[in-house]
Every structure is written in C-alpha cells, then in structure tokens.
Amino acid sequence: MNYTNNNAYIKELYAFLEDNGIDKNTFLAINNIDKYIETSIDGYSNYPLFLKIFNGKYNKIILNKLMRIDYKSRLGNAAGISSSCNFESVMIVIPPNAKKIGMSDYSKNAKPSDYTLLLKPCMYRQEKYEKYSEKKRMPYIDNNTWYIYVFATKKKFQRQGYGKKIMNLFLAYIDKNNYNLCLETDLEDNIVMYEKFGFRTVDISVYRDTLKHYIMIR
C-alpha cells in the first residue's frame, strides 16, 4: 500500500488501533500533549542522550519545554499511541516519507517566551545529534518504513507490561500491512528488549567519543 499523504498513514493506523480497543482520546493531540511529555520525561530520566544534551545534568524543566515545542511540531506528521487513558506508556511513530521537522517548525510552535530557549546550547547539541542520527539511519529508511521516535514508560510502571502492550499492537499493524520498522537507542540495555520484539542491530557507532548509538530494524 502506497500513500503520498502522512495523514493517510496515520488515519489507517488509528483505525486499526480503535478496532483493537485503544481509546481514540489517547491518540497524540494538542489536548493530551502534556500527558505524552510527562511520561516521556519520567521514562527517559538519566537516558544517555539527554545527559549528553544537557552536558551531564538532566534538566526536566528545560526538557519539558523542548518536548512541548517538538511534539507540537509533529502533530499531523506523527502518530501517538498510549497504553491507556492513564498514559503509563507512550509511543510516537513517524510514517514513511514524513516531512522532516527542524528549527523552522520549532520556531513556529514555540511561545514567544520560549524563543530564547531555541538559542540555548542544549538546543544546538540536540540539533547536531539529530543530524548525526538522521545520516546514520537514512540507509535503513525507505518509502515502506515506519520510524519509532519515542517509546517510554513511567518508571513506576516499567516491567508491568504497559510498553509491551502498545509495542505488540503496533507490530501487529506493521505486520498486517507488510511495513518495515526502524528505531534508534543510545542505551545498550535496551538491545535485548528490542530483540525480543524481533528487531536486529544493523549499525553501532559512537557519537562524539562518548555516546553509543544503535540502529535497529525489523
């Protein structure tokens, strides 16, 4: 199946999710972005990438603002899946041939009070890393490949099946439509978990001599 419009991919995914019992009110939207951010920030605490971006110190306040700008920029361009209305676990996925999101999109979606945030060193580091990771994953992305952008579970709900629930449901959609799937991780401990879902590592590198970077496909 070949679409030229991201909304067609997202509509197809959301229809599948609703048919399988997922509440449409949990899909990524302007009225629940805060819930997606809350889960992401908690689930990604002390994640190597964000420690790198913040120069070794995890800053939840700035990260909250950065994620708000980023997630708002991706509305209509990415799909969001949650384990339930309590948002214990969330996933944000990007369909094939999606528009690239960059600084111009961030500028449009930032509040005037956040404009100075876009000039902070952490934003520069994030942009540099994204260019690096994009270059690394491009050989594995084609017009039939979805990309997992976010996959996070709140710390107190980890290892209780919430993440597994949405991952398995998304994989069922992927398999039903014969799509490919790509993700990245900077945490070696995640490799075994993703392998259990059928992913395999295709690229390992080190960003700026300190941050391990893994690309996995399915």
Side-chain angles (χ1 to χ4, degrees):
M1 192 173 292
N2 184 25
Y3 293 111
T4 57
N5 189 319
N6 288 341
N7 289 330
Y9 283 105
I10 294 172
K11 183 178 179 180
E12 178 190 68
L13 171 61
Y14 282 164
F16 175 86
L17 294 174
E18 281 195 80
D19 288 344
N20 284 272
I22 298 297
D23 188 336
K24 66 180 180 180
N25 293 312
T26 67
F27 300 158
L28 181 63
I30 190 64
N31 65 327
N32 62 25
I33 276 183
D34 286 340
K35 296 295 185 180
Y36 275 83
I37 293 172
E38 180 184 352
T39 299
S40 299
I41 288 177
D42 187 77
Y44 282 130
S45 62
N46 296 319
Y47 190 70
L49 171 59
F50 295 117
L51 291 176
K52 183 75 172 180
I53 288 175
F54 293 118
N55 204 24
K57 187 176 181 180
Y58 193 63
N59 191 318
K60 291 185 178 181
I61 295 175
I62 294 180
L63 186 58
N64 186 298
K65 293 180 179 180
L66 290 178
M67 283 188 173
R68 177 178 298 279
I69 296 169
D70 183 75
Y71 289 11
K72 283 180 67 177
S73 298
R74 296 181 188 279
L75 288 175
N77 194 56
I81 312 170
S82 174
S83 52
S84 77
C85 291
N86 293 320
F87 296 87
E88 301 94 346
S89 184
V90 299
M91 179 184 288
I92 296 178
V93 294
I94 300 175
N97 303 314
K99 170 193 170 186
K100 294 180 181 179
I101 301 299
M103 190 60 71
S104 61
D105 301 285
Y106 295 155
S107 299
K108 292 176 185 177
N109 287 282
K111 296 178 181 178
S113 59
D114 289 333
Y115 286 159
T116 56
L117 179 65
L118 300 180
L119 302 176
K120 285 184 175 292
C122 59
M123 179 59 80
Y124 170 77
R125 296 188 194 105
Q126 191 274 336
E127 281 287 293
K128 293 286 287 184
Y129 174 82
E130 177 53 32
K131 289 180 180 178
Y132 169 86
S133 62
E134 181 182 11
K135 182 178 179 180
K136 282 289 185 179
R137 68 177 178 263
M138 283 310 296
Y140 309 101
I141 300 288
D142 59 24
N143 60 10
N144 196 51
T145 301
W146 283 72
Y147 174 65
I148 297 180
Y149 182 63
V150 170
F151 182 43
T153 303
K154 290 181 180 178
K155 288 288 190 292
K156 68 178 181 180
F157 295 116
Q158 290 179 1
R159 297 181 179 84
Q160 297 181 39
Y162 293 102
K164 183 177 181 180
K165 172 186 175 181
I166 57 176
M167 177 63 85
N168 281 336
L169 193 53
F170 181 54
L171 294 181
Y173 164 77
I174 292 294
D175 292 342
K176 177 182 177 182
N177 293 283
N178 296 313
Y179 292 129
N180 302 317
L181 194 52
C182 177
L183 62 80
E184 296 167 281
T185 184
D186 301 307
L187 192 61
E188 189 173 0
D189 291 346
N190 285 344
I191 300 300
V192 173
M193 173 187 70
Y194 287 127
E195 287 177 341
K196 291 179 179 178
F197 289 117
F199 289 87
R200 61 185 177 88
T201 303
V202 292
D203 187 89
I204 302 174
S205 60
V206 179
Y207 177 67
R208 296 210 164 182
D209 300 324
T210 57
L211 185 65
K212 285 188 175 182
H213 180 259
Y214 302 87
I215 297 175
M216 305 186 75
I217 63 172
R218 183 183 186 277

